[in-house]
Amino acid sequence: MQARKITIKHYFEGLPKLSDFELVEETIPDIIIDGEILLKGEYFSVDPYMRAFGNRDKVNVGDTMLGSQVALVLKSRNSKYPEGSKVLAYVGWRDHTICNPDKLKGMYSMVLPLPDLKGLPDSYALGPCGMTGLTAYFGLLKICEPKKGELVVVNSAAGAVGSLVGQIAKIKGCKVVGFAGSDEKVNWIKEDLQFNFAFNYKQVHLDSILKKFCLEGIDCYYDNVGGEFSYTVLKNMNMFGRVALSGSLSQYNNGLNAENKIPFDYFNLVCKQIKMEGFNTSRWVADFEDGVKQMATWIHEGKIIVRETHTKGFENMAQAFIDLLEGKSIGKSIVVL
């Protein structure tokens, strides 16, 4: 049987290029053995974190790009995954895969039954009802612990995670200020998602905006970007402010040896007793099922709006990934086979 995968042809230097990837055809066995399943990918996720795995210290040239997909079980010799069922598979950028789920280990190499989304699109298992949604859900609620009436700032606010963070904060009774990188994105989070305030960070003076629209200070900051943006936000935080460090988009495309130094006002953090905490969503793996159920419930109730940017064709995975890093997508980026 013929299958396709996308591998790393060159280590990434700055923004990845199409020439850094290679579409490889391979022959996989027609017969599977006990414990194995044959998967056909239907929806594929591209995410900012994947950028960090194209560096020399993370992967080797020739490795398959890592990533998750919603897949159909075409053949099965594993009773946990019957033929015709759907799974969430962390098997990389591959359109067909043979694996034994019981032998896969780690957050980036596993197969799980697709959760019951109560009629929501299967692709949501890669977004609001998957790792993306759980990153927003646990990062905000467990680390920032927002309280009714508090002010929450989120950057990359029209992205897969940021757009959910703002909506969850609104559900919890908070005021939300979001920053995004285009007028279209700003209009979406302001008009459709009902953020209290939204700004194109490329067109405003950040410190002035925060002082004008966050008059009582910032209580919670969900950071997807890092860099000088975060330095400015931290200066405007309240006593006992909480910061969830979810990503560092400002640094992903820097060179491998870049020191990524930014100003850091330790005195301000100490005096205001601000808590900053980085996290990996796997910390709350025991609560994943409850998190998925809650996100699905909020979507069904109309409290969370979901937007996806679809790219058609497995062969366009790399372009979809580059478009994501260039800020061309809104909401969750999905590649459809």
Side-chain angles (χ1 to χ4, degrees):
M1 180 178 184
Q2 290 301 113
R4 296 176 295 173
K5 61 181 180 180
I6 297 176
T7 64
I8 296 175
K9 188 175 183 179
H10 303 289
Y11 291 117
F12 304 156
E13 296 291 343
L15 181 72
K17 305 178 293 296
L18 288 177
S19 57
D20 293 331
F21 303 90
E22 184 171 14
L23 179 63
V24 178
E25 292 192 359
E26 61 180 353
T27 301
I28 59 176
D30 292 320
I31 299 174
I32 59 175
I33 63 176
D34 287 344
E36 290 184 337
I37 56 177
L38 169 63
L39 302 176
K40 176 186 178 182
E42 295 185 336
Y43 299 99
F44 300 82
S45 178
V46 289
D47 302 282
Y49 80 86
M50 297 174 178
R51 169 61 185 83
F53 287 84
N55 291 334
R56 296 174 188 271
D57 61 334
K58 300 293 184 182
V59 297
N60 296 312
V61 168
D63 284 353
T64 302
M65 272 292 290
L66 86 168
S68 57
Q69 59 181 261
V70 170
L72 173 68
V73 179
L74 293 180
K75 296 181 180 180
S76 177
R77 295 187 65 178
N78 187 317
S79 60
K80 299 176 187 175
Y81 306 93
E83 291 181 12
S85 64
K86 299 285 185 73
V87 297
L88 180 62
Y90 290 79
V91 292
W93 291 11
R94 315 174 64 96
D95 65 351
H96 290 81
T97 305
I98 292 176
C99 65
N100 183 334
D102 299 327
K103 294 183 178 180
L104 299 178
K105 297 180 180 179
M107 280 295 294
Y108 301 108
S109 180
M110 60 181 176
V111 173
L112 302 168
L114 197 71
D116 182 5
L117 302 183
K118 306 298 183 182
L120 295 175
D122 289 346
S123 61
Y124 282 20
L126 298 171
C129 298
M131 199 59 67
T132 299
L134 295 176
T135 299
Y137 181 84
F138 290 116
L140 181 67
L141 299 183
K142 296 292 189 180
I143 293 180
C144 287
E145 299 180 308
K147 302 174 181 62
K148 185 177 181 179
E150 289 190 326
L151 191 145
V152 176
V153 168
V154 57
N155 50 22
S156 192
V161 173
S163 61
L164 298 175
V165 167
Q167 293 182 85
I168 295 170
K170 292 288 291 183
I171 291 170
K172 296 299 179 180
C174 297
K175 180 188 292 185
V176 179
V177 180
F179 292 87
S182 73
D183 291 343
E184 181 185 6
K185 294 178 179 180
V186 168
N187 289 336
W188 179 58
I189 62 177
K190 180 70 169 65
E191 301 301 327
D192 292 3
L193 305 190
Q194 295 295 297
F195 283 29
N196 297 87
F197 301 105
F199 303 96
N200 183 339
Y201 73 89
K202 298 175 181 178
Q203 297 179 358
V204 299
H205 184 270
L206 180 58
D207 191 57
S208 298
I209 287 292
L210 294 176
K211 284 181 167 54
K212 180 177 180 180
F213 292 91
C214 307
L215 294 176
E216 298 180 359
I218 300 164
D219 300 295
C220 302
Y221 172 39
Y222 194 104
D223 185 13
N224 294 301
V225 175
E228 293 187 13
F229 188 104
S230 293
Y231 169 72
T232 304
V233 174
L234 290 171
K235 289 196 304 179
N236 290 277
M237 293 199 70
N238 284 331
M239 288 286 293
F240 305 108
R242 289 88 69 199
V243 181
L245 302 176
S246 176
S248 54
L249 282 167
S250 65
Q251 299 177 7
Y252 288 157
N253 288 322
N254 292 353
L256 179 62
N257 297 317
E259 295 186 51
N260 295 315
K261 290 183 178 180
I262 62 168
F264 210 77
D265 190 346
Y266 281 99
F267 188 67
N268 175 58
L269 297 177
V270 172
C271 290
K272 292 184 177 179
Q273 303 181 63
I274 294 170
K275 180 185 81 171
M276 296 179 64
E277 187 172 348
F279 69 95
N280 187 309
T281 311
S282 61
R283 183 194 309 185
W284 298 285
V285 65
D287 299 319
F288 276 11
E289 184 176 352
D290 290 339
V292 169
K293 287 181 179 178
Q294 182 61 80
M295 293 297 291
T297 297
W298 281 334
I299 296 169
H300 278 294
E301 292 174 345
K303 294 178 179 178
I304 285 183
I305 294 172
V306 178
R307 182 166 173 174
E308 296 179 329
T309 295
H310 283 194
T311 300
K312 180 68 175 177
F314 178 78
E315 66 277 6
N316 295 315
M317 284 284 297
Q319 186 62 62
F321 179 50
I322 294 169
D323 288 346
L324 168 71
L325 295 177
E326 290 186 319
K328 295 180 180 179
S329 60
I330 297 180
K332 182 73 184 84
S333 295
I334 298 288
V335 176
V336 184
L337 187 65

